[in-house]
Amino acid sequence: MSDIVEKTLTALPGLFLQNQPVGGAVAARAPFCSRLGSLVRGITALTSKHEEEKLIQQELSNLKVTVSAPTTTLKVMKECMVRLLYCEMLGYDASFGHIHAIKLAQQGNLLEKRVGYLAVSLFLHENHELLLLLVNTVVKDLQSTNLIEVCMALTVVSQIFPREMIPAVLPLIEDKLQHSKEIIRRKAVLALYKFLLIAPNQVQHIHIKFRKALCDRDVGVMAASLHIYYRMIKENAPAYKDLTGSFVTILKQVVGGKLPVDFNYHSVPAPWLQIQLLRILGLLGKDDQRTSELMYDVLDESLRRAELNHNVTYAILFECVHTVYSIYPKSELLEKAAKCIGKFVLSPKINLKYLGLKALTYVIQQDPTLALQHQMTIIECLDHPDPIIKREVKPQAYKSVNIFEDYMLVKEKHSITLPHAVLGTVLKASCMGVRVPPAVPHPGPVLGEYSYLLGKDTAEEVITKLYKLLLSDSVSSETKAWLFAAVTKLTSQAHSSNIVERLIQEFTVSLDTCMRQHAFELKHLLEDVELMRNLLPVDKSCEDMVVDASLSFLDGFVAEELSKGAAPYKPHHQRQEEKLSQEKVLNFEPYGLSFSSSGFAGRQSPAGVSLGSDISGNSAEMGLKETNSLKLEGVKKLWGKEGYLPKKENKTGDETEAPPNPQEAITMENVDQIVTKKDQSQVLTQSKEEKEKQLLASSLFVGLGSESSINLLGKADTASHKFRRKSKAKETKSRETTSAQDMPCSSLGSSSSVTYEEDYYLDNLQGRVDTDLEKFSLNSELLDSDTLKEHPLVEELSNCSLSTPSLFADSNMEVFHPPESIAASIDNEPSLASSLLEEATEHMYSDLTEVCNNETISVSAYKIWKDDCLLIVWSVSSKSGVDLENANLEIVPAENFKITEQPGCCLPEGEAESTKNFQYSVHMEKPCTEGNLSGFVNYQMMNTHSAQLEFSVNLSLLDFIRPLKISTEDFGKLWLSFANDVKQNVKMSESQAALSSALKTLQQKIRFHVVDVIGNEGLLACQLLPSIPCLLHFRVHADIVALWFRSSCSTLPDYLLYQCQKMIEES
Amino acid sequence: MILAILVFNNHGKPRLVRFYQHFPEEIQQQIVRETFHLVLKRDDNICNFLESGSLIGGSDYKLIYRHYATLYFVFCVDSSESELGILDLIQVFVETLDKCFENVCELDLIFHMDKVHFILQEVVMGGMVLETNMNEIVAQMEAQNRLEKSEGGLSAAPARAVSAVKNINLPEIPRNINIGDLNIKVPNLSQFV
């Protein structure tokens, strides 16, 4: 298709302009652009609508003068036209330009004509009298030998054409159906479709030609003709029953992958075509057993084939379900389709849930029993374990009859957990009678509100049923409250109230205060039936109520009470604080309450209290707490929150004792720093035994820490640090002894990474005595060992670190190496070129960041940039002892990404209850700058209900870029063999030594491999996993870096250029 | 059938308005405003479909939208279109814009309004989906673009021919010209027109 213009243009020197982006023409139209630009800038600078109007009116009057001046060239006219279009788009009248648009289409060259046609189709409408002036132009262009002119004419005809002039162009367009170019035939078909819409009787005689188009050798033309057939079949299905076979055959071919791959969209064959065909089949098979029988096979196949790897597959699947439920039913298919709906309603993607609900309405119309299985799934997926939200239920939730709206409201506001048995019965009742509630998880209120619609049961009967439910023990109190609300509602509609009275008797003595409250309310309401009727009208829940949230009507009362000397109102937290401060006189709590601002409550270990005081910078408050809690001075602290506290804490004790004046007590933090400075040398002597204890302690107490601790300035997780480091060192050691590494000893690589770690530690954990020690020992080990890169090591690291995930999850501390800063300290190296050729080969991993949480669980994730893939580890940890054994994590298939679960990751035994990990490897299938992975965690709540938590993680192209280690010769060969290249000059800030900083940036941040450095030029190579290479040649001249990319992939260089540019400009 | 395609920014400023069914000018403006208000109040985490406003025809028509950075792309369609299908069509359209403009942004839509329309014409014609294959659309645009270049540069041809000859045996010269260079060359070209 792209060759159509090429022939026309062979005479023109377009050779060097291939692949020219549209945006490249910016400067070509600079004069116009700047004028439109100043207009736009002018508009955006304005503050009021009025000023904008003034500006545009002025612009319009200028334009008016220009367009009507006889000297105005067509080129200027073209520019004016675009400005007029802009003004009209903003809603200003530019009708004086309409005639000029027609003139431009008539007289202009190709480019001007194109703008002219566009302006006409945007300015005018079908019945506009000026449109008649266009007919001749269209006729002329339809006869043109220039394909572009024909295309333009067909386009404008399909957008806008006067009905009465159809005969003038119809024969010409019919001819185009035989045109040799596919795009022309296709546009001709759509132009005829337009005629079918506006004047069906004029195209009646060419129905035979539509059939020809349907059988066109080109799929695009056939697809276009389906628009026509969909339309005609919708109006008169019986006349086209004979085509059923053809449509089925086409669909079979499409589904069977018989189309050229060009028609694939995300490796789904021609999805839009499939959708259109399924819709047509749905229309043809409606209430027609014989016709329907023809399509059962292909529908079955479609259902079966739909691999849910992309949104668009869901689109097809949905159409399929729709068709299955539209045509003459076949029970087997109906069941299969109903099952498919589960994939929609269970999806974390809200759009799919919506469609699932929509599909459910089809199912309900056909066979409610099939829908029943999904009632439960919907309820389950709507379950929201948020008790506060549950309280907020408002009848307005049922305002809209649109299921979807209900759903959204419900989803956002509240949810409720009901025993399934109750739900089953109630929902069944509600969904049979009323269309509203199927998706609504509040059968209680719904029943109260709408049970009258059921017709079958009188209010009394419903009340009786609810009464039985209320007395049953299996119903939770939450549900009972709902049911009681329903009873209250129904009572106003009921005629006798015997049962209600019995109910009130039962529940006014209930132990549940909430129920008692409800019962009393109902009792009082019963005493005043009139009031009750007004309060609880039938079917009025859809009306908004005005609620004075500020309770201003109480102001008078409050003022009166205050004047009588009543105490002013204090909010809850204030009262609590006061209560606590009064308690300092006598404290019966063994360790005192910790009421730090970061909000951890409950009993703490002594260390917990003291650490708690750390964070409250307020010395007065701290003093207060000191007196409240245990005296810690002089007590040797051995156990802290982060485990066994060795010398350091001991020292701290000494230090706090030391100052003569207790008023000058310094906070722990400061003390720590002092200690560190003082005692660095001393700590080095810390015995091996101590370290072992430490290790044991930290491994024993990590679980505990994750439950109850809060990270205080990122300190509390030192233990896990130690633990991790330790094991890392060990690992390295063992590796050293067991296997002789064949890698050349690159002390530079490892030392650079060590140096980095040193920096890192100094930055983040300054003053940690024991860490220092660890570091020293580690350093020596590392310098001996040859490499840190092996991946088991990383896994080991991840495993270790994962044993305390919630520690990191709570704080945003950077525990792991940030990817950007790997292989730092290159500046320090004497020879730049040689240092760059060595690469820091350690696997890199991101810090663990929390992706989502609720009050029961928290999900964190981190990325490991492995050599062959990106590994993402999701770590689900429970906060409140929820059993995670059955927790299940699913990742939704994402566009551009291939995701595979890696079952290999497991935790050290014994940690499993509080944390569970899921490991996925991710590949980028198609280059893109960014992407998003979403998924959800299913887990069991205490009360056997499963709940769901959704999350998402962002992925960037750089996650999939790895160094490509090739020689200079290979680079040369590859360079010549790659066709796609991109070149760009990037300016660097003067502050940097250009070559070194650019190289460093590219090597560290994009992960290029530096192949060679010659003078001021560098050769770099990288690959997009799994194996798309990209080469970069760059040259530095003054403060300009010329980047020149080549790759076998057409899009990769662009994306990389973008990233490089960003990095270099940022650095 | 697609009734209208509206693109507006986060403040409701229209950036592309294309109706495939006639509405009087002032009604069009009201539709844009109404649609903006309907779409604006929706969170990012709720679904991308909603009933269209009363002006277009209420519940028979749906608005299907996607929000990209500063822009909302809204397609108003009747019941004969598949929601998810349209959602992906929007994606195709935006990705095509992105390809044609190289990292498309709101400014591209303002300053190249005509071009955006031309691209759209290759995707949707008269309210019907014409082409969904991004490569085809881009190829069409490139073809038209070449036309523009050649019309603009007829008189510049000799200079180019010289450089063409010069470069013929140098495989390392990139086949396409980078933007940096182009920005320097093109103003000269336009003088010849």
Side-chain angles (χ1 to χ4, degrees), chain B residues 7-19:
Chain B
V7 179
F8 40 76
N9 71 3
N10 292 345
H11 306 289
K13 276 273 166 234
R15 293 299 175 221
L16 175 82
V17 178
R18 172 94 240 194
F19 281 88

Side-chain angles (χ1 to χ4, degrees), chain A residues 714 717 720-722 724-725 728 751-768 771-772 775 778-779 808 811-825 842 845-848:
Chain A
D717 55 342
S720 63
H721 260 288
K722 296 173 202 156
R724 204 147 21 90
R725 317 236 79 221
K728 186 171 170 183
S751 78
S752 73
S753 72
V754 170
T755 325
Y756 160 70
E757 274 161 10
E758 235 165 353
D759 291 347
Y760 174 76
Y761 262 78
L762 287 171
D763 288 342
N764 287 280
L765 291 163
Q766 43 155 292
R768 279 291 157 185
T771 319
D772 274 6
K775 201 168 67 197
L778 186 73
N779 273 3
F808 315 121
S811 76
N812 285 324
M813 210 188 94
E814 293 193 333
V815 177
F816 293 91
H817 303 191
E820 295 82 16
S821 32
I822 203 80
S825 74
E842 190 180 354
Y845 36 91
S846 72
D847 44 329
L848 191 73

Side-chain angles (χ1 to χ4, degrees), chain A residues 964-981:
Chain A
L964 177 65
K965 297 186 178 165
I966 51 172
S967 66
T968 315
E969 292 83 63
D970 290 341
F971 186 95
K973 278 178 207 156
L974 282 174
W975 184 261
L976 292 181
S977 68
F978 289 158
N980 306 292
D981 60 2

